[in-house]
Amino acid sequence: MQLTRDGDVFLLDLGEGDIRFSPDFLDTYERALDDVEHADGHRALVTTASGKIWHNGLDLEYMATLGDDFLGYLGRVHRLFARLLTLPVPTVAAVQGHAFAGGAMLALSHDVRVMRSDRGYLCLPEIDLGMTFTDGMASLIAAKLPQPALHRMAVLGERIGGPDALALGAADAVVEGDRAVLPAALDRARALTAKARPNLAGIRRDFYADVIDTLES
Amino acid sequence: MQLTRDGDVFLLDLGEGDIRFSPDFLDTYERALDDVEHADGHRALVTTASGKIWHNGLDLEYMATLGDDFLGYLGRVHRLFARLLTLPVPTVAAVQGHAFAGGAMLALSHDVRVMRSDRGYLCLPEIDLGMTFTDGMASLIAAKLPQPALHRMAVLGERIGGPDALALGAADAVVEGDRAVLPAALDRARALTAKARPNLAGIRRDFYADVIDTLES
Amino acid sequence: MQLTRDGDVFLLDLGEGDIRFSPDFLDTYERALDDVEHADGHRALVTTASGKIWHNGLDLEYMATLGDDFLGYLGRVHRLFARLLTLPVPTVAAVQGHAFAGGAMLALSHDVRVMRSDRGYLCLPEIDLGMTFTDGMASLIAAKLPQPALHRMAVLGERIGGPDALALGAADAVVEGDRAVLPAALDRARALTAKARPNLAGIRRDFYADVIDTLES
């Protein structure tokens, strides 16, 4: 995972492969958000990855080793979502591949989602895994997904590709072609850099206070 | 009203005519839901009817005979909506005709709504009847209808046909032709049978706990 | 500002120029709503203006003179939004020009919004002004704007023209041409006059009780 800066836009590349909320991922992501938050002036953050996966969610192998620390780990993931909702910097998810489960929630925690027309899904497969959502996750998902996307995606576990995600209000833009997502996301981010102000966090709190409080509790 | 089973899909045909929440209707519907709930394995439920009406809502003639039992009757209808929200089986409303008032709410209580392109309306005519909604009904409607469908349908009482219902997010699919709704609904149901799991009820509760509690109170 | 009546439709023309919630505006608007409320029978209200602006929101020059009365002034604006939500008469905003900040909230307080395809924006520029929203304003905006319109408009401050407003669910109709908004709004209003009933206020309260209470507190 690598954070680079081009002008006012920070680019966080999550890398390639089975990207999950591993302890290393969380350490690096939190440090990247620190860097972005503590920078000055106009700026925006784009989060992307390089392979078939944008983000695959919880690190189930790691979780299996945790025993009682399981809740602590989950809390840390929740606080990462909340951190994005309270960051005084606009964020754009350049979803070049699949965003599954916690990975889809990470995408929903960004201000803007750009997807591909031909590949990549948002998917909340909890129904098929025999799971339910934590209060924090349910609160985040319900706040960001309008009906009927909420019911189709979160209750029925439907995988939603780019064009459907745009039509259903789960994504903000869809672009065609192999390498078009990142440039489109960078354009969006450049148009948003002037929104990096202290009141951005306040305005998100105006609309997502319950989500943030539930995620942080 | 008749419950049949074809493979993993239960089909509940509400019949023909002025279908309403009569005591007989409620008895039979509750027993059908018992049968579907107590069956095992992959399964889904499709609810349809045969005439111009899908469901016409409260049985006003019966209500007029009730005096003090009026609230008990209304509570039973509310619990039927809640029952669908807590059923561990996916449900599809094959809305071949009109769904009015409580009938529209019954459709909204299903996981999926399939409508016709040329006939059939969802309509909440309470504004024109001089009525308001009960807390449970308002909670259900607000949870399922996104804006501006909520305002147009529930506040202004606009009748919404299939294509508009799809565009506004009040329906999930619209099909053309006289006999296409039921096959399309059965297809949807077959694709959902693997979601018949205990956590389906839990996931619906993640997003509709307030609705369920208000309907059951 | 002038209130006229043509059959069952009241037309409130906000005039031309930099239309804001000045004390004179509030006095006149409140009296107009009194007249509309106290009239009898079928009726509806259309609110329009004549120039480039539909409504520009708070009167910042006046506010600067107020000192401690600032909160009283803001409360009066909030109560105006609540008044529209509790008026037993359907309301249509004929948004022929720009609706900014409090002006966009005024439009959202109406039952229906008609916009132009070629001119006029809904815009909540608070993010660019370094401001956040009051609880009442945030509550109103969140209740009326579905996602992703809520996030794009209220968090990111995106200006939304007619066609996008229609697609995003922030407007109910878009019409082409210089002089088409008002006739289209009058048509909508004529179709809604029979909804002017006491229960209209009750039904709006069914869905917006929290908004009304927060605006009035």
Side-chain angles (χ1 to χ4, degrees):
Chain A
M1 181 164 23
Q2 201 175 0
L3 181 70
T4 54
R5 181 171 189 167
D6 178 11
D8 292 335
V9 175
F10 288 87
L11 175 63
L12 183 61
D13 189 330
L14 305 178
E16 199 168 345
D18 184 28
I19 302 162
R20 291 180 180 269
F21 294 121
S22 66
D24 272 0
F25 179 97
L26 291 168
D27 287 344
T28 316
Y29 205 110
E30 287 164 1
R31 270 201 307 272
L33 293 182
D34 286 343
D35 289 348
V36 172
E37 180 164 359
H38 296 140
D40 284 323
H42 289 189
R43 60 204 192 280
L45 170 66
V46 172
T47 310
T48 195
S50 302
K52 275 179 56 181
I53 305 298
W54 186 76
H55 198 287
N56 253 342
L58 295 175
D59 184 339
L60 302 174
E61 284 183 29
Y62 173 68
M63 270 177 74
T65 70
L66 283 177
D68 285 354
D69 292 336
F70 164 74
L71 287 177
Y73 166 70
L74 217 52
R76 193 174 170 192
V77 173
H78 283 70
R79 284 191 298 277
L80 187 66
F81 300 151
R83 179 86 190 273
L84 282 160
L85 293 176
T86 55
L87 197 73
V89 177
T91 57
V92 178
V95 185
Q96 95 296 338
H98 301 310
F100 273 101
M105 298 173 210
L106 184 67
L108 291 175
S109 302
H110 284 68
D111 288 313
V112 175
R113 282 158 294 291
V114 180
M115 293 181 69
R116 290 178 56 161
S117 60
D118 59 331
R119 204 173 86 175
Y121 290 102
L122 294 179
C123 184
L124 296 165
E126 278 71 7
I127 178 65
D128 299 315
L129 304 174
M131 299 168 63
T132 57
F133 294 98
T134 65
D135 288 350
M137 289 171 170
S139 175
L140 169 67
I141 294 164
K144 284 299 193 87
L145 290 181
Q147 291 287 23
L150 175 63
H151 204 88
R152 288 174 56 177
M153 295 179 63
V155 175
L156 301 177
E158 189 175 335
R159 295 192 315 174
I160 303 279
D164 282 344
L166 184 67
L168 287 168
D172 300 281
V174 169
V175 292
E176 284 187 42
D178 207 19
R179 296 168 173 272
V181 168
L182 185 56
L186 291 169
D187 281 349
R188 289 243 163 187
R190 274 186 286 265
L192 291 172
T193 55
K195 320 278 181 186
R197 313 175 56 129
N199 65 313
L200 176 59
I203 285 185
R204 286 208 212 88
R205 183 167 283 278
D206 285 338
F207 297 105
Y208 307 114
D210 286 351
V211 180
I212 294 165
D213 292 346
T214 309
L215 285 169
E216 289 179 343
S217 73
Chain B
M1 181 165 21
Q2 202 175 359
L3 181 69
T4 55
R5 180 171 189 167
D6 178 10
D8 293 336
V9 176
F10 288 88
L11 175 61
L12 183 62
D13 189 329
L14 305 178
E16 198 169 345
D18 184 28
I19 302 161
R20 290 180 180 270
F21 294 120
S22 66
D24 272 0
F25 179 97
L26 291 169
D27 287 345
T28 316
Y29 206 110
E30 288 164 1
R31 272 202 307 273
L33 293 182
D34 286 344
D35 290 347
V36 172
E37 179 163 1
H38 297 138
D40 285 324
H42 289 188
R43 59 203 191 282
L45 170 65
V46 172
T47 310
T48 194
S50 302
K52 274 179 56 180
I53 306 298
W54 186 77
H55 198 287
N56 252 342
L58 295 175
D59 184 338
L60 302 175
E61 284 182 28
Y62 173 69
M63 269 176 74
T65 71
L66 284 176
D68 285 355
D69 292 336
F70 163 75
L71 286 176
Y73 166 71
L74 216 53
R76 194 175 169 192
V77 173
H78 283 70
R79 284 191 298 277
L80 187 66
F81 299 151
R83 180 87 190 274
L84 283 160
L85 293 177
T86 55
L87 197 74
V89 177
T91 57
V92 178
V95 186
Q96 94 297 338
H98 301 310
F100 272 101
M105 298 173 210
L106 185 67
L108 291 176
S109 301
H110 285 68
D111 289 313
V112 175
R113 282 158 295 291
V114 181
M115 293 181 69
R116 291 178 55 162
S117 60
D118 59 331
R119 204 175 86 176
Y121 291 101
L122 294 178
C123 184
L124 296 165
E126 278 72 6
I127 179 64
D128 299 315
L129 304 174
M131 298 169 63
T132 58
F133 294 98
T134 66
D135 288 350
M137 289 171 170
S139 175
L140 169 67
I141 294 164
K144 285 300 193 87
L145 290 181
Q147 290 287 23
L150 174 63
H151 203 88
R152 287 174 56 177
M153 296 179 63
V155 174
L156 300 178
E158 188 175 334
R159 296 192 315 174
I160 303 280
D164 282 344
L166 183 67
L168 288 168
D172 299 281
V174 169
V175 292
E176 284 187 41
D178 208 19
R179 295 166 176 274
V181 168
L182 184 56
L186 292 168
D187 281 350
R188 288 243 163 187
R190 275 187 284 267
L192 292 171
T193 56
K195 320 278 180 187
R197 314 174 57 130
N199 66 312
L200 176 58
I203 285 185
R204 285 209 213 87
R205 182 166 283 280
D206 286 339
F207 298 105
Y208 307 114
D210 287 350
V211 180
I212 295 166
D213 292 344
T214 308
L215 284 169
E216 290 179 343
S217 72
Chain C
M1 183 165 23
Q2 198 174 3
L3 180 70
T4 54
R5 182 171 188 167
D6 177 12
D8 292 336
V9 176
F10 288 87
L11 175 63
L12 183 61
D13 188 331
L14 305 178
E16 198 169 345
D18 183 28
I19 301 162
R20 292 180 180 268
F21 294 121
S22 66
D24 272 359
F25 179 96
L26 292 169
D27 288 343
T28 317
Y29 205 109
E30 289 164 1
R31 271 200 306 273
L33 293 181
D34 286 344
D35 290 347
V36 172
E37 181 164 358
H38 296 139
D40 284 323
H42 290 188
R43 61 204 191 280
L45 170 66
V46 172
T47 310
T48 196
S50 302
K52 275 179 56 182
I53 305 298
W54 186 77
H55 199 287
N56 252 342
L58 295 175
D59 184 339
L60 302 174
E61 284 183 29
Y62 173 69
M63 270 177 75
T65 70
L66 283 176
D68 285 354
D69 291 336
F70 165 74
L71 287 176
Y73 166 71
L74 216 52
R76 194 173 170 193
V77 173
H78 283 69
R79 284 192 298 278
L80 186 66
F81 300 151
R83 180 87 190 274
L84 283 161
L85 293 178
T86 55
L87 196 75
V89 177
T91 56
V92 178
V95 185
Q96 95 296 336
H98 301 310
F100 272 101
M105 299 173 209
L106 184 68
L108 291 175
S109 301
H110 284 69
D111 288 313
V112 174
R113 280 158 295 290
V114 180
M115 293 180 70
R116 291 177 57 162
S117 61
D118 58 332
R119 204 174 85 176
Y121 290 102
L122 293 179
C123 183
L124 296 165
E126 278 71 6
I127 179 64
D128 299 315
L129 304 175
M131 298 168 64
T132 58
F133 294 97
T134 66
D135 288 350
M137 289 172 172
S139 176
L140 169 67
I141 294 164
K144 285 300 193 86
L145 289 181
Q147 291 286 22
L150 174 64
H151 202 88
R152 286 173 57 178
M153 295 177 63
V155 175
L156 300 178
E158 190 175 335
R159 296 191 314 173
I160 302 281
D164 283 343
L166 183 67
L168 288 168
D172 300 280
V174 169
V175 292
E176 284 188 41
D178 207 19
R179 295 167 175 273
V181 168
L182 184 56
L186 291 169
D187 281 349
R188 290 243 161 186
R190 274 186 286 267
L192 291 172
T193 56
K195 320 279 180 187
R197 313 174 56 129
N199 65 312
L200 176 59
I203 286 186
R204 286 209 212 87
R205 181 166 285 278
D206 286 339
F207 298 104
Y208 308 114
D210 287 350
V211 179
I212 294 165
D213 291 345
T214 308
L215 285 169
E216 289 179 343
S217 72

